[in-house]
Amino acid sequence: MTPFFSVVIPVYNAEKYINKCVESILQQSFEDFEIVLVNDGSIDRSMEICEELAQKDTRVAFFHQRNQGVSAARNKGISMAKGKYLVFVDADDHIRADTLKLLYENCNDCRTDICFFGYQCVVGSEIKQTVLPPKFCGEKSPDLLLELIEKNVFGLACNKAIKRDLIMENELLFDETIKVFEDQDLMMRVWNKASFVCSI
């Protein structure tokens, strides 16, 4: 059965964070999802931890590759994902317990190509930045794009759900030759192919 969300997590030397990251997803109030862990040649205990997580819960899939960088790891995750929507989470992130539920409520009409959501940057126990996107649901527009860029919402992979068919049908993978702003590069190409977007 096809899950609604595939949560793709690239993992590189994340032994200190990956358990908390995956736990925050497994505890979601919305349960129709899979987690796709891609170990990108870690040299710490990340691979062992990922294998343990996959053994404990059938919703967790684990893949290993030689070190090729975050874009290659995310692309591997995309290729193995089965969900209707892709959600990218970094190994040192965690998400609120109702995140997937709120995304589902805004994506379930099947028109939504991209759903943007807010995030916080935390260092230690201190919140350094809170980013809240404008509330919107409808046809994309240049004005909305500018507002999303100005509010630091647009250029990240990790604060949105993207329709997997949009990615696959248009071959919109991360450019593995780009070492900086690879998220922004992909998002601009995804935006160009998208029609209906939500922002919550």
Side-chain angles (χ1 to χ4, degrees):
M1 188 172 176
T2 302
F4 196 85
F5 292 110
S6 290
V7 183
V8 176
I9 307 175
V11 180
Y12 179 71
N13 291 352
E15 64 180 7
K16 295 179 181 178
Y17 315 108
I18 189 61
N19 274 312
K20 182 177 181 180
C21 173
V22 171
E23 181 181 344
S24 76
I25 301 164
L26 293 176
Q27 293 179 349
Q28 291 294 299
S29 57
F30 179 83
E31 298 181 348
D32 188 13
F33 65 85
E34 65 172 355
I35 298 173
V36 182
L37 296 172
V38 181
N39 179 49
D40 186 45
S42 296
I43 57 175
D44 64 358
R45 290 187 60 250
S46 293
M47 181 173 176
E48 178 184 340
I49 295 169
C50 288
E51 287 176 335
E52 292 172 356
L53 290 166
Q55 290 171 1
K56 288 178 182 177
D57 197 303
T58 58
R59 293 172 294 177
V60 181
F62 168 61
F63 303 93
H64 174 75
Q65 65 181 26
R66 63 178 177 83
N67 180 246
Q68 300 173 63
V70 65
S71 292
R74 285 174 174 162
N75 287 340
K76 176 70 172 180
I78 292 169
S79 71
M80 304 310 297
K82 303 179 182 73
K84 295 178 182 177
Y85 284 85
L86 299 170
V87 178
F88 297 100
V89 175
D90 283 344
D92 59 349
D93 294 342
H94 57 274
I95 61 175
R96 215 170 68 176
D98 61 348
T99 300
L100 296 184
K101 177 178 178 289
L102 292 171
L103 288 173
Y104 174 78
E105 291 170 354
N106 286 272
C107 294
N108 192 37
D109 64 9
C110 294
R111 291 188 298 164
T112 304
D113 293 311
I114 315 168
C115 186
F116 299 83
F117 57 94
Y119 62 92
Q120 289 183 321
C121 296
V122 181
V123 178
S125 59
E126 183 180 353
I127 298 172
K128 294 289 188 179
Q129 182 184 27
T130 298
V131 175
L132 295 175
K135 191 174 176 70
F136 177 86
C137 201
E139 295 282 338
K140 70 178 184 182
S141 70
D143 288 343
L144 175 64
L145 175 60
L146 286 174
E147 188 171 5
L148 292 169
I149 292 172
E150 288 171 357
K151 291 181 179 288
N152 294 323
V153 175
F154 181 79
L156 300 175
C158 292
N159 68 324
K160 48 192 63 77
I162 305 171
K163 187 177 285 185
R164 184 173 177 272
D165 283 350
L166 184 73
I167 294 276
M168 301 306 290
E169 291 170 5
N170 295 286
E171 300 180 354
L172 299 173
L173 297 176
F174 288 89
D175 186 338
E176 297 176 20
T177 68
I178 297 178
K179 302 305 179 186
V180 293
F181 299 115
E182 69 279 356
D183 291 19
Q184 188 167 316
D185 168 74
L186 176 71
M187 282 313 306
M188 188 57 72
R189 289 183 283 121
V190 170
W191 177 270
N192 286 340
K193 295 295 184 180
S195 298
F196 196 88
V197 300
C198 286
S199 180
I200 60 174

